[in-house]
Amino acid sequence: MLDVRRLRLLRELARRGTIAAVAEALAFSPSAVSQQLGVLEREAGLPLLERTGRRVRLTPAGQNLVRHAEAVLERLEQADADLAEARGGLAGALRIGAFPTATRAIVPAALIALARLHPGLEPMVSETDPAAVAHALRAGDLDVALVHAYDFVPAEPEPGLTTEPLYGEAMYLAAPASEAPGPSGEPDQGAVLRTHARAPWITATPGTLCHAMTVRACQAAGFTPRVRHQVDEFATVLALVAAGQGVAVVPQLGITGPADPAVRLTRLLMERRTNLAFRSGAGAHPAVAAFGTALRAAVPPDLAGSRAVR
């Protein structure tokens, strides 16, 4: 009989490519991962792995077993959801991942609703960059998470995960008010961005979706931004723009408080779309479903596309 825990290791190996990466993600030692995969090969009765230098490649039999593992793990999530429903009453920990702007603007109201309707549930929020959510969900470090995607950084399908749309969000070009305004009339995103092709830019840190979004949007407009500052918090980004330190692309939820006269905001045609993500099969879990319902009720009505996310 194949061991589910070893199947999970094989699935992670298929995603990460090295035993060291699997060990780091799941808090095992590399030797323990190798040993468990060796046991899985003996259980299967044929080779599942081929080693090519530092990387490990799955054999056709290994790849086929990963597909079965995805189905098995999804059914286990469904079984867990059914058991939770049968027990009645939500209780225990719900581990939630969320990025900063959603954590500030939407999650608190959702938590208030959860506490009122399900006082036995213990939501635990961890600030998590969307780029790290898939690994955290598959590893069991999170139960549910908010993720986002941009027009220039679409979300790739993640094996073993399911997403549901929550809302869409407008994007703005933030520039010092002292600079010459961009083109007038009907907004042309490329023209707006090219107006600042020679300006210093403020982006998020490399490796984040927000950083990739700015770079790719500028490249689509015909130039590569000259990055001066790398900052993840949008309030700080806007403060740097107000100080004349550069220009930046910011989402609607990143703009807080009264309008700063030192910053000019120009609406762009692109959007940021936020989804709820969880392990496949877990959507029917009462705690995950309750959190999703609370989140949707907490979405501010003025978000662009909040009622019909593309």
Side-chain angles (χ1 to χ4, degrees):
M1 180 68 68
L2 299 176
D3 186 281
V4 172
R5 292 168 297 180
R6 297 184 186 115
L7 289 176
R8 195 185 301 274
L9 289 176
L10 186 69
R11 181 186 68 173
E12 286 304 307
L13 183 61
R15 293 294 302 164
R16 300 173 189 271
T18 68
I19 288 176
V22 174
E24 181 179 0
L26 301 183
F28 289 133
S29 68
S31 61
V33 173
S34 294
Q35 181 183 25
Q36 291 301 308
L37 290 174
V39 173
L40 181 61
E41 284 190 302
R42 291 194 293 274
E43 290 175 343
L46 73 169
L48 302 175
L49 309 175
E50 294 176 350
R51 286 169 174 77
T52 56
R54 293 185 176 181
R55 298 188 68 83
V56 179
R57 185 172 59 188
L58 273 63
T59 65
Q63 295 171 357
N64 189 47
L65 187 54
V66 166
R67 287 191 287 271
H68 286 296
E70 295 287 3
V72 168
L73 293 169
E74 181 173 348
R75 290 301 297 270
L76 287 174
E77 291 291 342
Q78 292 170 350
D80 186 53
D82 288 345
L83 290 172
E85 181 71 26
R87 286 192 294 267
L90 296 184
L94 178 68
R95 296 160 298 179
I96 301 165
F99 52 91
T101 51
T103 302
R104 174 188 52 77
I106 296 174
V107 171
L111 296 182
I112 291 172
L114 278 181
R116 183 178 66 253
L117 297 173
H118 308 288
L121 194 62
E122 184 183 2
M124 304 169 65
V125 177
S126 299
E127 201 167 273
T128 308
D129 187 88
V133 159
H135 296 327
L137 284 171
R138 282 196 295 264
D141 297 329
L142 296 175
D143 298 311
V144 63
L146 280 77
V147 296
H148 57 57
Y150 295 94
D151 288 344
F152 290 95
V153 194
E156 298 294 333
E158 287 284 354
L161 301 186
T162 298
T163 60
E164 295 179 351
L166 286 174
Y167 60 87
E169 196 174 345
M171 300 294 295
Y172 294 85
L173 187 283
S178 58
E179 291 188 3
S184 59
E186 188 68 22
D188 178 329
Q189 180 166 288
V192 170
L193 296 175
R194 283 192 297 273
T195 299
H196 304 281
R198 296 181 179 276
W201 281 75
I202 306 165
T203 70
T205 52
T208 62
L209 300 182
C210 296
H211 176 269
M213 170 272 301
T214 297
V215 172
R216 293 182 189 180
C218 290
Q219 289 173 340
F223 69 98
T224 297
R226 178 170 59 87
V227 178
R228 174 180 290 177
H229 303 293
Q230 296 177 345
V231 178
D232 288 325
E233 185 186 51
F234 288 115
T236 304
V237 169
L238 291 172
L240 290 171
V241 172
Q245 290 296 300
V247 299
V249 177
V250 297
Q252 184 174 343
L253 288 181
I255 303 168
T256 60
D260 188 335
V263 177
R264 184 178 63 253
L265 297 171
T266 303
R267 172 73 183 269
L268 300 173
L269 299 181
M270 60 193 293
E271 280 190 351
R272 181 168 79 169
R273 293 173 294 281
T274 294
N275 296 332
L276 189 67
F278 43 84
R279 289 182 292 277
S280 296
H285 193 289
V288 173
F291 181 62
T293 299
L295 271 179
R296 289 181 179 85
V299 173
D302 62 335
L303 284 183
S306 62
R307 300 303 175 212
V309 180
R310 294 184 302 176

